[in-house]
Amino acid sequence: MKLGHALLQALKAYGASEIFGIPGDFALPFFKVIEQSNVLPLHCLSHEPGVGFAADAAGRYNSKLGVAAVTYGAGALNMVNPVAMAYAEKSPLVVISGAPGAREAGLGMGLHHQVKRLDSQRLVYNEVTCAQAILNDPATAPAEIARVLTAARERSRPVYIELPRDMVDAEVGEVPAYAETPPDIEAAQACAQEIMTRLKAAERPALLLGVEVRRYGLEDKVAALSRRLALPTATTFMARGILADSDAPLIGTYLGLAGEPEIRRAVERSDALLMLGVILCDTNFGVSKRQIDQRSAIHAFDREVRFAYHNYPDVSLHALIDALIAIAEPVAKAPTPATPDYPRGASSDGNPVAPSDIARAVNDLFDRHGRMPISADMGDCLFTAMDIVYTELVAPGYYATMGPGVPAGLGLQAASGRRPLIMVGDGAFQMTGWELGNCVHNGWTPIVLVFNNCAWGMLKAFQSDTRYNDLADWHFADMAPSLGGRGHRVTTRAELVAALEEAHGDAGHFHIVEIMIPRDEISRALDRFTSTLKEKTAARPA
Ligand SMILES: Cc1ncc(Cc2c([C@H](C)O)sc(CCOP(=O)(O)OP(=O)(O)O)c2C)c(N)n1
């Protein structure tokens, strides 16, 4: 089999369902094989950051591999930020970059798209991927592909494959099928016993579920474990929505400084917090590491289980959860706080729109017509999403980059076939919103809510006395028809409710609902986040 075709067959066998990309002369031979073989559908976008965000979202939605194919240099280096987000947020994204062939690499002169040296790009990608391979030897290429795709699945992190353009038609052998790395069952059982002993002895045991539970497809097993332990169970922002429809003792989403006080108390005051698949980080949306009592917490992450002064070095989350379910019994000491209800009943009047009105209107829309998967960008739209009922949500909840909103929503629709709701600020829309021009070509029809406060509003919440955070009014809705969609410019709550209903009723087009928001209006969660952060900063000794 030819290498290009073998690589596509392997991507599909390891779980990929589509490819996003932008070609270039170093990638033309591979793109031609993608199109002619039709092993995986190809969606070309307009700018490599959009390619990375869309591919990442597709992988997250299916808990399988996302695939981004780009050209060498200008293409691949343009996509580093989305891959960095995938690394930070444990998303299994496969980057396939074209590259110079052996003959041209040996010319001894600089090539177009080359930076410092021919391997500079790979060195950059070493820092944002967990495994890398250069397919320049037909004898080793199949095993290299298997090694790297296995790493993507088992580490749930991005990987880098460099495919020189003169290797695409090289004859190669079969790529080995996926074979799971055998877990250390004995270690997992010993660890589970120690955890149960800790939970039984604690006064305020609690369970916190993180992103790895979703990435490794363990949601049903974790719901069963939560029920058996009968422990107050919170999810971090990035695990938001798991257990939503189960009868597990779910208390809601833990958002550190931006979250509900009773959920923060249950998590941050626990004397035995079992954290499964949680990214520990500084105080943004992730777990506020400073607030968690690390002496009594138990943290299972990245195939390791850490206690205060010792750890189990090689216990997969899957093996640990199986071992815990086998011995779990109720350990709750106090009644579980109720899950907070979500705001509904949007007003339909002439008042200006605040972020909380948008959450209400969306919850009402979902009650009337069913839930949609959501893609949220960074900014107050992400904080507003916290007040929307549980549904599949992709968002940069830890890495916190702007830009994923629109392209990730397109990736969601490509991967799921479901119409997504996209929530994005005007600043982030300026970055990647124009990918909507690819909707007609691909049959995508998102409903896009643009929070237009004519500002980098989140930054203004920290520095209200600055002018550089003010943005011009770009009138995004007026541009929708020229991109093949429909546009609504909304200034009142009544117009918002009507525009949402009209957009939802037209499944044949994407709709931009541009919502004009007064500059001083921010969501409840963002207000909590900024005011608490300001207090903490003020209280910190100089
Ligand atoms: C790619 C990129 N550039 C810069 C930033 C910094 C940044 C924020 C975070 C703190 O790093 S929030 C924010 C403003 C976002 O403005 P907009 O999209 O209009 O949304 P809103 O008005 O709701 O804030 C910026 C510039 C970022 N997160 N990502």
Side-chain angles (χ1 to χ4, degrees), residues 81 378-381 400-402 425-428 431 453 455-459:
N81 185 46
M378 186 63 210
D380 202 11
C381 58
T401 181
M402 289 159 73
D426 55 316
M431 292 184 177
N453 52 14
W456 287 319
M458 199 172 154
L459 300 187

Side-chain angles (χ1 to χ4, degrees), residues 9 18 106 175 233 250 289 309 334 368 370 385 419 512-513 517 538:
Q9 295 282 15
E18 62 285 297
V175 174
T233 302
L250 188 66
K289 184 170 183 177
Y309 304 106
R368 286 196 300 275
R419 190 181 195 191
I512 293 179
V513 180
I517 300 174

Side-chain angles (χ1 to χ4, degrees), residues 60 65-66 109 178 348 353 432:
R60 290 186 193 206
L65 299 182
M109 66 174 79
Y178 173 62
S348 183
V353 181
T432 57

Side-chain angles (χ1 to χ4, degrees), residues 72 114-121 123:
Y72 177 76
Q114 178 182 334
V115 191
K116 194 183 286 186
R117 291 183 308 277
L118 281 175
D119 66 348
S120 295
Q121 172 173 304
L123 294 174

Side-chain angles (χ1 to χ4, degrees), residues 222-303:
V222 163
L225 176 63
S226 168
R227 279 195 298 274
R228 288 204 190 171
L229 292 171
L231 274 184
T233 302
T235 70
T236 62
F237 169 74
M238 289 173 56
R240 178 177 165 69
I242 61 175
L243 276 63
D245 302 322
S246 75
D247 56 354
L250 188 66
I251 59 175
T253 303
Y254 169 75
L255 288 173
L257 303 174
E260 301 292 342
E262 58 274 14
I263 298 173
R264 256 185 88 191
R265 276 193 294 275
V267 169
E268 295 180 1
R269 293 185 187 168
S270 171
D271 59 349
L273 180 66
L274 174 55
M275 296 186 277
L276 297 177
V278 170
I279 298 174
L280 281 179
C281 70
D282 69 357
T283 54
N284 60 23
F285 261 148
V287 178
S288 313
K289 184 170 183 177
R290 281 198 297 271
Q291 269 71 32
I292 304 298
D293 180 355
Q294 298 301 325
R295 291 160 306 172
S296 62
I298 304 145
H299 185 212
F301 184 69
D302 247 355
R303 293 179 78 89

Side-chain angles (χ1 to χ4, degrees), residues 429 434 436 448 450 452 473-491 510-516:
F429 192 98
W434 312 109
L436 289 173
V448 185
V450 181
N452 192 355
D473 181 353
W474 281 32
H475 291 268
F476 300 100
D478 293 349
M479 302 171 196
S482 58
L483 297 173
R486 300 288 182 270
H488 314 256
R489 185 164 165 105
V490 161
T491 56
F510 75 81
H511 282 249
I512 293 179
V513 180
E514 179 181 20
I515 307 164
M516 305 314 291

